[in-house]
Amino acid sequence: MNDKNCENNICAHLADEDYRVYGSIVPPMFLNSLFTRKSNDTPYSYSRVTNPTVELAEKKITALEGGAWTKCFASGMAAISTAVLSICKTGDEIICVKNVYSGFQGLCAIQLKNFGITVHYVNAGCTDEFKNAITSNVKLIYLESPTSLVFDMTDLSAVCNIAKEHDLLVLMDNTWATPMFQKPIEFGVDLVIHSCTKYMGGHSDLIAGSVTGTDLSLEKAVLNTRTNLGCSISPHTAWLLTRGLRTLPIRMKQHQESGMKFYHGIKNHPNVSHVFFPGADDYQQKDLVQKYLKGTSGLLSLMIRGDYDRVHAALKTLEYFEEGCSWGGFESLYIMLNANDCQWNGKKEGCTMVRVSIGLEEVDTLINDFTSALNHIL
Ligand SMILES: *Cc1c(COP(=O)(O)O)cnc(C)c1O
């Protein structure tokens, strides 16, 4: 890795020079909707299509993922739906991992179904299931590795090899790992998706998404779909995203360290029956962690002894964790899960599942706070 490709330098400086004016250390925000033809040299026309402030965020994400291009979107779901609609049409089929992000399951169950696009769900860790699900209509394999509730991983190289043999595209949601901990393009993935709302933005102050790829005809297709659907990111959001990205390496380092410490701090509590976490001592796919991940982030799910109401009441006593549905920000959060939110092996009777996002607070404070809440469960 040369200096230019180093993630710290990408986040701090890459492409800033292209957009700085008057020596401004931070490139300005181009909020304008249109660019006049007065200056003949402008590559821009209308901000639904392209915008310099949006391009800066896109260039940084491209370099971080090791791709050839990135397009940013008004949300992670806008990125996902645009990518899928750029590839699939009526009659096509998708192979998708079980326990994939719930928003994508919703898109499949309603909109894609209405358009006549069928989805086959397979176990993320069983490469043979991908192979067996291939039909002549399958166009796309949709991965999320690890998944973001129970953290099932997929053998990316193995699945990408199968995809190449059958001329299928592979799309992967890399929101959990971020390019700091996993670069799916290295292993053969065609399109990498992020909900930039989570770690990429990192401050819980924006909603955004991205699609990164290598193939230039796919770039054209994705840009065309974004333009026609009109789900472009606003320059204001893109500017905030770039600001968030500047601290991505250092934030992820801290989330990683704190996530690991938190796991070790609570794993032996008598009211914790299991922890779903790729960094866990008893994680079942350690070989895949070794092969693909440089870090295990700060998001984990706990099986806590006690029924839903008792666990919920105990967690309400937390001082530093708020109850909320997102993750990846500076703040610690937890969310209660229902048994039908996801499928996992070895359902535990009498337990309730809770997902925890470890923020940037002092980790010993977080461990103490969570331990005293766990002690509250009778
Ligand atoms: C949040 C999330 C999304 C959707 O992103 P939005 O920005 O909320 O549209 C997609 N995938 C994963 C893994 C997520 O956590």
Side-chain angles (χ1 to χ4, degrees), residues 75-77 80 101 144 148 173 175 195 197-198 207-208 327:
S75 69
M77 280 310 301
I80 289 167
Y101 177 67
E144 186 184 329
S148 54
D173 183 331
T175 302
S195 166
T197 311
K198 316 294 163 56
I207 299 269
W327 52 277

Side-chain angles (χ1 to χ4, degrees), residues 313-331:
L315 296 186
K316 288 269 185 212
T317 67
L318 285 164
E319 204 179 327
Y320 286 87
F321 293 77
E322 303 250 10
E323 184 175 0
C325 68
S326 190
W327 52 277
F330 63 92
E331 78 288 20

Side-chain angles (χ1 to χ4, degrees), residues 15-30 32 35 44 52-53 56 239 246:
D16 289 351
E17 205 49 55
D18 303 349
Y19 304 99
R20 290 174 63 183
V21 293
Y22 301 125
S24 61
I25 188 67
V26 175
M29 196 190 303
F30 289 91
N32 44 302
F35 298 81
Y44 308 104
T53 307
L56 177 56
W239 190 93
R246 295 200 196 278

